[in-house]
Amino acid sequence: MSKGSNAPVPTTALRVELGWRSGPGVPDADASALLLVGGKVRSDADFVFYNQPQHSSGAVRHEGKRTDGGRVTDTLLVDLARVEPSVETVVLAASADGGTFAGIPDLYIEVRDAAQGTVAARFDSTGATVETAFVLGEFYRRQGAWKFRAVGQGYDSGLEGLATDFGITVDEPQQAPPVAPPPTPAAPPVRLSKVTLAKAAPSVSLAKQGGTSGAMRVNLNWQVRKQFSGWGSKRGRAVAMHADLDLDLCALYELADGRKGVVQALGNAYGALHQPPYIHLDGDDRTGAVVSGENLTVNLDHQRDFRRILVFVTIYEGARSFADLHATVTLQPQYGAPIDFSLDECTVPSTVCALALITNTGDDLVVQREARYLVPDRGVSPQRTVDQVYGWGMNWTPGRK
């Protein structure tokens, strides 16, 4: 499609893919969507992006990034049948992180039928210079039907400028209040900040990000890069025909008083948030969805009680290794910017991966990206393997869910 042109799209669930070619020095990009009435959002809740991944209506959901063959994609799921009748337009935007769009090659937006996989529309964006945000396209109603328009409108003021242009109230993270927080406003401002850990910059201070108290949610979500032998596809996600893919998010902990243990679904060792170990596993998810996925929560009000926490993931069933999986880890403090990172492609027969090591340095908690695939020896459990590598020194017995 050319800039300004339009095309009809089916009133159904559509997968909107923002894509570009990766490489050394190429900035990151993030997809977002805004639901508009009269050209503006009704409230900040009409903004769907990495820090607010699902609209309350269920019509728009941010599904997250994946890397495959030198290309990066960030995906939104837009179910036009569920868009509220008052919403006239769904704006599809992109923002650059770490540079301008001039440094992001082969940028495009593609709309596919989520069930059939057929392409309904595609717009290749070219000629970017100083822009740090773009409205690439939009869905709009016309005579009871939906159409897609290729827009290509750029901003040099980043995601903040784009968001405020449509009526979003933006705020940056603040340090947690030392005593008691003020009353929470009915509609707190949207926070756009985030921290992405990489090999070149693998650690971050929670104190410097304002994450000194409250609850911190650790989320793992995943997608399947390619089909496993004997697997099929359902609703856009790969699922096993004979066994569900089941990844388990776990945490080894060592408290300041020397107590050690594990939080995991095996043996129903879900932990506790308001008593030792001050870590709680929310549940056992098998979808990998960015909105749910596997979650555990750390009570940062008790950060002085922690010596170290190692967050890791195991394959319980449904796959022989992480080789065909793409996973993203997000640590979301109640106060401060979210911290995220993606796992590198797995090239070894690994069934357990150390994700992040959280260490108490005396007056701070430091998050270290591990993203380390481990290969258990024959007859050695994934948990014992992690223990041996990181020197936890625990005794292990077989457990079941």
Side-chain angles (χ1 to χ4, degrees):
M1 296 179 64
S2 59
K3 183 176 179 178
S5 62
N6 61 69
V9 292
T11 305
T12 184
L14 300 172
R15 183 157 279 110
V16 180
E17 181 180 279
L18 171 71
W20 65 94
R21 179 161 47 87
S22 62
V26 173
D28 194 17
D30 296 291
S32 58
L34 301 104
L35 289 75
L36 307 183
V37 177
K40 297 287 185 179
V41 297
R42 295 163 296 180
S43 73
D44 294 347
D46 284 340
F47 186 28
V48 177
F49 70 121
Y50 48 81
N51 280 356
Q52 194 166 271
Q54 181 164 339
H55 192 261
S56 59
S57 67
V60 183
R61 185 174 76 234
H62 180 239
E63 292 196 320
K65 288 192 177 74
R66 64 181 299 176
T67 303
D68 190 8
R71 301 201 67 84
V72 184
T73 57
D74 197 12
T75 305
L76 298 163
L77 185 68
V78 181
D79 190 344
L80 294 176
R82 300 180 67 177
V83 174
E84 297 147 301
S86 62
V87 174
E88 303 157 347
T89 309
V90 179
V91 166
L92 306 168
S95 55
D97 185 7
T100 69
F101 276 102
I104 301 179
D106 300 343
L107 181 71
Y108 69 88
I109 187 171
E110 188 171 82
V111 179
R112 290 177 175 267
D113 185 297
Q116 304 298 324
T118 53
V119 177
R122 178 184 171 111
F123 172 51
D124 292 273
S125 180
T126 59
T129 55
V130 299
E131 296 86 356
T132 49
F134 262 105
V135 173
L136 291 174
E138 64 182 16
F139 295 119
Y140 65 98
R141 296 185 196 263
R142 181 62 54 87
Q143 297 178 344
W146 285 95
K147 287 189 173 184
F148 172 81
R149 178 185 289 117
V151 178
Q153 176 185 350
Y155 293 74
D156 61 6
S157 50
L159 185 58
E160 181 176 356
L162 184 151
T164 53
D165 198 37
F166 288 104
I168 297 294
T169 305
V170 174
D171 187 24
E172 290 303 306
Q174 302 294 321
Q175 291 288 332
V179 182
T184 303
V190 171
R191 290 178 176 175
L192 303 182
S193 299
K194 66 171 182 174
V195 177
T196 298
L197 300 181
K199 289 181 179 178
S203 63
V204 65
S205 158
L206 283 181
K208 290 181 179 179
Q209 299 303 318
T212 56
S213 63
M216 179 174 70
R217 189 184 72 163
V218 182
N219 171 266
L220 172 74
N221 70 81
W222 63 89
Q223 296 173 313
V224 177
R225 283 194 178 96
K226 58 186 178 181
Q227 302 294 344
F228 294 100
S229 176
W231 286 44
S233 180
K234 180 181 179 182
R235 295 185 181 178
R237 288 198 179 275
V239 296
M241 292 182 179
H242 302 292
D244 292 333
L245 175 62
D246 189 4
L247 301 186
D248 283 347
L249 187 64
C250 314
L252 283 170
Y253 63 84
E254 182 178 2
L255 301 182
D257 62 8
R259 283 180 289 178
K260 300 176 182 179
V262 64
V263 175
Q264 60 178 5
L266 281 178
N268 295 320
Y270 287 95
L273 198 59
H274 300 292
Q275 62 188 41
Y278 308 112
I279 305 168
H280 182 254
L281 180 64
D282 296 359
D284 187 21
D285 181 82
R286 297 194 178 200
T287 67
V290 68
V291 178
S292 53
E294 290 268 317
N295 296 279
L296 62 81
T297 306
V298 180
N299 189 342
L300 295 181
D301 290 335
H302 290 271
Q303 64 169 312
R304 292 184 179 180
D305 292 297
F306 297 122
R307 183 171 294 167
R308 56 178 178 158
I309 303 168
L310 178 70
V311 182
F312 65 100
V313 59
T314 67
I315 298 176
Y316 184 70
E317 62 182 2
R320 291 187 296 272
S321 79
F322 288 102
D324 293 312
L325 299 177
H326 169 76
T328 302
V329 180
T330 304
L331 295 87
Q332 177 66 74
Q334 186 172 342
Y335 303 101
I339 302 161
D340 67 13
F341 60 89
S342 295
L343 300 187
D344 299 326
E345 185 174 356
C346 179
T347 58
V348 295
S350 170
T351 56
V352 57
C353 180
L355 300 177
L357 182 64
I358 304 171
T359 306
N360 190 334
T361 62
D363 55 358
D364 191 9
L365 291 178
V366 174
V367 177
Q368 170 84 22
R369 176 188 186 269
E370 294 293 308
R372 185 177 180 183
Y373 295 108
L374 305 174
V375 182
D377 293 332
R378 183 183 296 273
V380 178
S381 70
Q383 290 84 351
R384 188 185 296 271
T385 300
V386 173
D387 183 320
Q388 291 172 347
V389 171
Y390 286 87
W392 235 264
M394 291 171 54
N395 295 317
W396 296 92
T397 58
R400 297 181 63 85
K401 292 186 181 182

mmCIF file of all heavy atoms in Angstrom, residues 9-16 59 77-83 111-118 120 139 146:
data_model
loop_
_atom_site.group_PDB
_atom_site.id
_atom_site.type_symbol
_atom_site.label_atom_id
_atom_site.label_comp_id
_atom_site.label_asym_id
_atom_site.label_seq_id
_atom_site.Cartn_x
_atom_site.Cartn_y
_atom_site.Cartn_z
ATOM 1 N N VAL A 9 -10.933 -4.353 5.545
ATOM 2 C CA VAL A 9 -10.438 -5.472 6.344
ATOM 3 C C VAL A 9 -11.639 -6.173 6.983
ATOM 4 O O VAL A 9 -12.668 -5.541 7.229
ATOM 5 C CB VAL A 9 -9.457 -5.003 7.446
ATOM 6 C CG1 VAL A 9 -8.171 -4.488 6.846
ATOM 7 C CG2 VAL A 9 -10.088 -3.952 8.333
ATOM 8 N N PRO A 10 -11.543 -7.462 7.236
ATOM 9 C CA PRO A 10 -12.666 -8.176 7.844
ATOM 10 C C PRO A 10 -12.883 -7.754 9.295
ATOM 11 O O PRO A 10 -11.929 -7.444 10.013
ATOM 12 C CB PRO A 10 -12.238 -9.646 7.755
ATOM 13 C CG PRO A 10 -10.743 -9.605 7.695
ATOM 14 C CD PRO A 10 -10.405 -8.353 6.949
ATOM 15 N N THR A 11 -14.138 -7.729 9.713
ATOM 16 C CA THR A 11 -14.458 -7.396 11.106
ATOM 17 C C THR A 11 -14.264 -8.629 11.959
ATOM 18 O O THR A 11 -15.204 -9.354 12.303
ATOM 19 C CB THR A 11 -15.899 -6.867 11.219
ATOM 20 O OG1 THR A 11 -16.056 -5.773 10.321
ATOM 21 C CG2 THR A 11 -16.204 -6.386 12.636
ATOM 22 N N THR A 12 -13.031 -8.885 12.273
ATOM 23 C CA THR A 12 -12.667 -10.100 13.000
ATOM 24 C C THR A 12 -11.386 -9.833 13.778
ATOM 25 O O THR A 12 -10.937 -8.700 13.864
ATOM 26 C CB THR A 12 -12.485 -11.265 12.001
ATOM 27 O OG1 THR A 12 -12.225 -12.467 12.718
ATOM 28 C CG2 THR A 12 -11.338 -11.005 11.049
ATOM 29 N N ALA A 13 -10.799 -10.874 14.339
ATOM 30 C CA ALA A 13 -9.522 -10.727 15.044
ATOM 31 C C ALA A 13 -8.394 -10.621 14.026
ATOM 32 O O ALA A 13 -8.240 -11.485 13.157
ATOM 33 C CB ALA A 13 -9.299 -11.912 15.974
ATOM 34 N N LEU A 14 -7.604 -9.563 14.150
ATOM 35 C CA LEU A 14 -6.506 -9.300 13.225
ATOM 36 C C LEU A 14 -5.201 -9.203 13.992
ATOM 37 O O LEU A 14 -5.144 -8.599 15.068
ATOM 38 C CB LEU A 14 -6.749 -7.993 12.472
ATOM 39 C CG LEU A 14 -8.028 -7.922 11.630
ATOM 40 C CD1 LEU A 14 -8.244 -6.506 11.111
ATOM 41 C CD2 LEU A 14 -7.978 -8.904 10.477
ATOM 42 N N ARG A 15 -4.167 -9.785 13.441
ATOM 43 C CA ARG A 15 -2.844 -9.688 14.040
ATOM 44 C C ARG A 15 -2.066 -8.605 13.294
ATOM 45 O O ARG A 15 -1.840 -8.710 12.086
ATOM 46 C CB ARG A 15 -2.127 -11.041 13.986
ATOM 47 C CG ARG A 15 -0.771 -11.031 14.670
ATOM 48 C CD ARG A 15 -0.340 -12.413 15.111
ATOM 49 N NE ARG A 15 -0.977 -12.794 16.368
ATOM 50 C CZ ARG A 15 -1.921 -13.730 16.480
ATOM 51 N NH1 ARG A 15 -2.337 -14.367 15.412
ATOM 52 N NH2 ARG A 15 -2.438 -14.016 17.653
ATOM 53 N N VAL A 16 -1.692 -7.554 14.027
ATOM 54 C CA VAL A 16 -0.982 -6.413 13.443
ATOM 55 C C VAL A 16 0.489 -6.537 13.808
ATOM 56 O O VAL A 16 0.856 -6.486 14.985
ATOM 57 C CB VAL A 16 -1.556 -5.081 13.960
ATOM 58 C CG1 VAL A 16 -0.801 -3.911 13.346
ATOM 59 C CG2 VAL A 16 -3.043 -4.988 13.649
ATOM 60 N N ALA A 59 -10.546 -5.794 23.206
ATOM 61 C CA ALA A 59 -10.468 -5.626 21.755
ATOM 62 C C ALA A 59 -9.040 -5.496 21.247
ATOM 63 O O ALA A 59 -8.755 -5.815 20.095
ATOM 64 C CB ALA A 59 -11.277 -4.401 21.340
ATOM 65 N N LEU A 77 -2.742 -7.703 18.798
ATOM 66 C CA LEU A 77 -3.936 -8.411 18.361
ATOM 67 C C LEU A 77 -5.110 -7.449 18.504
ATOM 68 O O LEU A 77 -5.379 -6.948 19.594
ATOM 69 C CB LEU A 77 -4.175 -9.669 19.200
ATOM 70 C CG LEU A 77 -5.340 -10.546 18.729
ATOM 71 C CD1 LEU A 77 -5.015 -11.186 17.384
ATOM 72 C CD2 LEU A 77 -5.665 -11.624 19.756
ATOM 73 N N VAL A 78 -5.794 -7.178 17.386
ATOM 74 C CA VAL A 78 -6.931 -6.260 17.377
ATOM 75 C C VAL A 78 -8.158 -7.036 16.919
ATOM 76 O O VAL A 78 -8.215 -7.497 15.781
ATOM 77 C CB VAL A 78 -6.681 -5.058 16.449
ATOM 78 C CG1 VAL A 78 -7.877 -4.117 16.473
ATOM 79 C CG2 VAL A 78 -5.405 -4.323 16.846
ATOM 80 N N ASP A 79 -9.119 -7.200 17.812
ATOM 81 C CA ASP A 79 -10.369 -7.893 17.485
ATOM 82 C C ASP A 79 -11.426 -6.831 17.203
ATOM 83 O O ASP A 79 -12.049 -6.281 18.112
ATOM 84 C CB ASP A 79 -10.789 -8.782 18.660
ATOM 85 C CG ASP A 79 -11.937 -9.717 18.295
ATOM 86 O OD1 ASP A 79 -12.592 -9.472 17.254
ATOM 87 O OD2 ASP A 79 -12.185 -10.683 19.041
ATOM 88 N N LEU A 80 -11.627 -6.525 15.932
ATOM 89 C CA LEU A 80 -12.530 -5.444 15.547
ATOM 90 C C LEU A 80 -13.972 -5.707 15.950
ATOM 91 O O LEU A 80 -14.741 -4.769 16.171
ATOM 92 C CB LEU A 80 -12.433 -5.196 14.043
ATOM 93 C CG LEU A 80 -11.085 -4.661 13.551
ATOM 94 C CD1 LEU A 80 -11.082 -4.541 12.037
ATOM 95 C CD2 LEU A 80 -10.769 -3.313 14.189
ATOM 96 N N ALA A 81 -14.342 -6.988 16.079
ATOM 97 C CA ALA A 81 -15.704 -7.319 16.490
ATOM 98 C C ALA A 81 -15.960 -6.910 17.940
ATOM 99 O O ALA A 81 -17.119 -6.757 18.346
ATOM 100 C CB ALA A 81 -15.960 -8.810 16.304
ATOM 101 N N ARG A 82 -14.907 -6.729 18.731
ATOM 102 C CA ARG A 82 -15.057 -6.390 20.143
ATOM 103 C C ARG A 82 -14.807 -4.914 20.432
ATOM 104 O O ARG A 82 -14.902 -4.488 21.576
ATOM 105 C CB ARG A 82 -14.102 -7.252 20.983
ATOM 106 C CG ARG A 82 -14.364 -8.747 20.850
ATOM 107 C CD ARG A 82 -13.418 -9.578 21.694
ATOM 108 N NE ARG A 82 -13.637 -9.377 23.124
ATOM 109 C CZ ARG A 82 -12.973 -10.030 24.070
ATOM 110 N NH1 ARG A 82 -12.028 -10.906 23.724
ATOM 111 N NH2 ARG A 82 -13.227 -9.805 25.353
ATOM 112 N N VAL A 83 -14.477 -4.138 19.400
ATOM 113 C CA VAL A 83 -14.273 -2.707 19.608
ATOM 114 C C VAL A 83 -15.616 -2.061 19.947
ATOM 115 O O VAL A 83 -16.611 -2.281 19.264
ATOM 116 C CB VAL A 83 -13.660 -2.051 18.354
ATOM 117 C CG1 VAL A 83 -13.575 -0.539 18.525
ATOM 118 C CG2 VAL A 83 -12.276 -2.615 18.078
ATOM 119 N N VAL A 111 -1.080 -6.370 8.386
ATOM 120 C CA VAL A 111 -2.326 -6.788 9.021
ATOM 121 C C VAL A 111 -2.707 -8.149 8.465
ATOM 122 O O VAL A 111 -2.852 -8.314 7.251
ATOM 123 C CB VAL A 111 -3.452 -5.769 8.760
ATOM 124 C CG1 VAL A 111 -4.748 -6.235 9.415
ATOM 125 C CG2 VAL A 111 -3.061 -4.381 9.260
ATOM 126 N N ARG A 112 -2.868 -9.117 9.366
ATOM 127 C CA ARG A 112 -3.239 -10.471 8.964
ATOM 128 C C ARG A 112 -4.493 -10.929 9.695
ATOM 129 O O ARG A 112 -4.729 -10.530 10.839
ATOM 130 C CB ARG A 112 -2.115 -11.476 9.278
ATOM 131 C CG ARG A 112 -0.876 -11.345 8.414
ATOM 132 C CD ARG A 112 0.188 -12.337 8.845
ATOM 133 N NE ARG A 112 1.336 -12.321 7.959
ATOM 134 C CZ ARG A 112 1.480 -13.130 6.915
ATOM 135 N NH1 ARG A 112 0.544 -14.039 6.649
ATOM 136 N NH2 ARG A 112 2.551 -13.054 6.150
ATOM 137 N N ASP A 113 -5.270 -11.746 9.029
ATOM 138 C CA ASP A 113 -6.375 -12.427 9.697
ATOM 139 C C ASP A 113 -5.768 -13.375 10.729
ATOM 140 O O ASP A 113 -4.964 -14.249 10.393
ATOM 141 C CB ASP A 113 -7.211 -13.196 8.678
ATOM 142 C CG ASP A 113 -8.447 -13.824 9.294
ATOM 143 O OD1 ASP A 113 -8.293 -14.693 10.178
ATOM 144 O OD2 ASP A 113 -9.562 -13.470 8.882
ATOM 145 N N ALA A 114 -6.134 -13.214 12.002
ATOM 146 C CA ALA A 114 -5.486 -13.980 13.067
ATOM 147 C C ALA A 114 -5.750 -15.466 12.960
ATOM 148 O O ALA A 114 -4.919 -16.286 13.367
ATOM 149 C CB ALA A 114 -5.949 -13.471 14.428
ATOM 150 N N ALA A 115 -6.899 -15.853 12.437
ATOM 151 C CA ALA A 115 -7.239 -17.270 12.344
ATOM 152 C C ALA A 115 -6.681 -17.906 11.075
ATOM 153 O O ALA A 115 -6.111 -19.003 11.105
ATOM 154 C CB ALA A 115 -8.754 -17.447 12.402
ATOM 155 N N GLN A 116 -6.815 -17.201 9.939
ATOM 156 C CA GLN A 116 -6.420 -17.777 8.650
ATOM 157 C C GLN A 116 -4.976 -17.477 8.272
ATOM 158 O O GLN A 116 -4.376 -18.205 7.470
ATOM 159 C CB GLN A 116 -7.350 -17.253 7.547
ATOM 160 C CG GLN A 116 -8.831 -17.499 7.790
ATOM 161 C CD GLN A 116 -9.162 -18.968 7.870
ATOM 162 O OE1 GLN A 116 -8.591 -19.794 7.164
ATOM 163 N NE2 GLN A 116 -10.099 -19.321 8.760
ATOM 164 N N GLY A 117 -4.429 -16.396 8.813
ATOM 165 C CA GLY A 117 -3.060 -16.024 8.478
ATOM 166 C C GLY A 117 -2.920 -15.267 7.172
ATOM 167 O O GLY A 117 -1.810 -14.923 6.760
ATOM 168 N N THR A 118 -4.029 -14.988 6.486
ATOM 169 C CA THR A 118 -3.974 -14.275 5.209
ATOM 170 C C THR A 118 -3.708 -12.792 5.434
ATOM 171 O O THR A 118 -4.170 -12.197 6.410
ATOM 172 C CB THR A 118 -5.289 -14.440 4.445
ATOM 173 O OG1 THR A 118 -6.375 -14.049 5.297
ATOM 174 C CG2 THR A 118 -5.493 -15.883 4.030
ATOM 175 N N ALA A 120 -4.192 -8.985 4.968
ATOM 176 C CA ALA A 120 -5.275 -8.068 4.572
ATOM 177 C C ALA A 120 -4.722 -6.725 4.110
ATOM 178 O O ALA A 120 -5.333 -6.064 3.266
ATOM 179 C CB ALA A 120 -6.243 -7.860 5.736
ATOM 180 N N PHE A 139 -7.191 1.679 11.819
ATOM 181 C CA PHE A 139 -8.471 1.082 11.450
ATOM 182 C C PHE A 139 -9.544 2.143 11.687
ATOM 183 O O PHE A 139 -9.534 2.812 12.728
ATOM 184 C CB PHE A 139 -8.774 -0.146 12.303
ATOM 185 C CG PHE A 139 -7.820 -1.292 12.112
ATOM 186 C CD1 PHE A 139 -7.054 -1.756 13.176
ATOM 187 C CD2 PHE A 139 -7.677 -1.916 10.875
ATOM 188 C CE1 PHE A 139 -6.174 -2.818 13.017
ATOM 189 C CE2 PHE A 139 -6.798 -2.973 10.703
ATOM 190 C CZ PHE A 139 -6.043 -3.426 11.769
ATOM 191 N N TRP A 146 -15.166 -1.909 8.512
ATOM 192 C CA TRP A 146 -13.856 -1.430 8.922
ATOM 193 C C TRP A 146 -12.906 -1.371 7.728
ATOM 194 O O TRP A 146 -12.930 -2.237 6.851
ATOM 195 C CB TRP A 146 -13.252 -2.329 9.986
ATOM 196 C CG TRP A 146 -13.843 -2.164 11.348
ATOM 197 C CD1 TRP A 146 -14.840 -2.909 11.908
ATOM 198 C CD2 TRP A 146 -13.478 -1.188 12.336
ATOM 199 N NE1 TRP A 146 -15.114 -2.466 13.186
ATOM 200 C CE2 TRP A 146 -14.295 -1.413 13.471
ATOM 201 C CE3 TRP A 146 -12.548 -0.148 12.378
ATOM 202 C CZ2 TRP A 146 -14.202 -0.632 14.628
ATOM 203 C CZ3 TRP A 146 -12.445 0.625 13.513
ATOM 204 C CH2 TRP A 146 -13.264 0.389 14.625
#
